[in-house]
Amino acid sequence: SSQNVDTRLYSSKRLAYFSISTGGFIWSIFSFHILIKVDLQEIYPTVLICYYELSEFYLDFFVYSTLVISIGIPIILIILSILAFKNVRHIRSIPREKRTNQIRSMTKKDFQLLRCLFIHNIVYIVCSVLLAIGIVYGTAINHQTQTILDKGINDFLNNFGSILHYIPYCSSLFIFICVSKAFRQELKRFVYR
């Protein structure tokens, strides 16, 4: 949606393939600690569970890295959504007759796609907030003596936040069906075939 040609070059297929490959490699290296630091922990003499190493350094690393990821991704999505929203408002503020070849115009499908992406970002941010709040709350009370109420609040925020956190990953189809008329028509054509 940007008017700058150099900025629009970032949406090429080649750069997308490179970014996905690089991101996948970095995330797999970053998550490699899970394979090393998970160990069998003995709860009772005959009961063993597979759980993270209980050293304080590793637990702090795990909590803080999860916190940075849970807060960083929604902030990046908010910033990119605001930039795209400003670009679309700039394009729509200029009447169609006054647009020259230098000003990029967008089709209805482009606007519908952007609307779907905005709603998808909103769903992701709303569903991620509770998990981030749970992580912040758990980190804040981690080194204090916890009452039953503190533990109950922490468990509720983490468990319910974890359930909500998975909703954006399965909501794309429903968002596109509800928001985009072009997507609904293409889906009808595909189903009728």
Side-chain angles (χ1 to χ4, degrees):
S1 64
S2 177
Q3 296 300 316
N4 188 348
V5 176
D6 295 332
T7 304
R8 285 199 312 267
L9 288 176
Y10 287 118
S11 64
S12 67
K13 281 185 182 180
R14 183 174 164 221
L15 185 62
Y17 290 141
F18 176 75
S19 300
I20 290 170
S21 303
T22 305
F25 178 73
I26 289 171
W27 281 115
S28 60
I29 295 296
F30 178 77
S31 300
F32 195 69
H33 64 90
I34 295 171
L35 298 174
I36 298 170
K37 291 294 189 174
V38 172
D39 196 13
L40 289 176
Q41 305 290 332
E42 185 174 358
I43 299 176
Y44 302 112
T46 59
V47 178
L48 298 170
I49 62 167
C50 188
Y51 198 68
Y52 300 108
E53 185 180 292
L54 295 176
S55 70
E56 192 167 326
F57 170 75
Y58 181 68
L59 289 176
D60 287 343
F61 164 76
F62 182 74
V63 167
Y64 289 122
S65 64
T66 305
L67 183 64
V68 167
I69 292 166
S70 297
I71 292 175
I73 291 174
I75 288 174
I76 290 170
L77 284 175
I78 289 170
I79 291 169
L80 292 175
S81 294
I82 289 171
L83 289 174
F85 187 72
K86 283 183 179 180
N87 290 337
V88 169
R89 284 190 64 193
H90 177 71
I91 291 171
R92 285 202 165 176
S93 67
I94 301 170
R96 194 173 282 276
E97 306 85 39
K98 292 185 180 180
R99 293 181 191 165
T100 62
N101 291 338
Q102 296 152 344
I103 296 176
R104 184 173 191 267
S105 62
M106 294 176 66
T107 64
K108 275 187 173 182
K109 282 187 179 182
D110 292 335
F111 284 118
Q112 287 178 10
L113 177 63
L114 274 175
R115 197 174 313 130
C116 291
L117 291 175
F118 285 141
I119 292 173
H120 199 277
N121 288 347
I122 290 168
V123 168
Y124 182 84
I125 291 165
V126 167
C127 291
S128 297
V129 164
L130 192 61
L131 184 62
I133 290 171
I135 293 170
V136 169
Y137 182 76
T139 305
I141 66 168
N142 190 25
H143 299 292
Q144 300 174 3
T145 54
Q146 297 178 14
T147 64
I148 295 173
L149 179 64
D150 290 337
K151 183 147 178 51
I153 291 172
N154 190 24
D155 288 344
F156 171 76
L157 289 174
N158 284 328
N159 293 335
F160 191 62
S162 294
I163 291 170
L164 282 181
H165 183 70
Y166 293 116
I167 289 175
Y169 301 111
C170 58
S171 65
S172 298
L173 177 70
F174 303 109
I175 291 172
F176 279 89
I177 287 174
C178 292
V179 175
S180 176
K181 184 178 180 181
F183 183 80
R184 284 192 301 267
Q185 290 174 345
E186 290 292 326
L187 187 64
K188 283 179 190 176
R189 270 192 228 131
F190 179 75
V191 169
Y192 288 145
R193 279 190 214 162

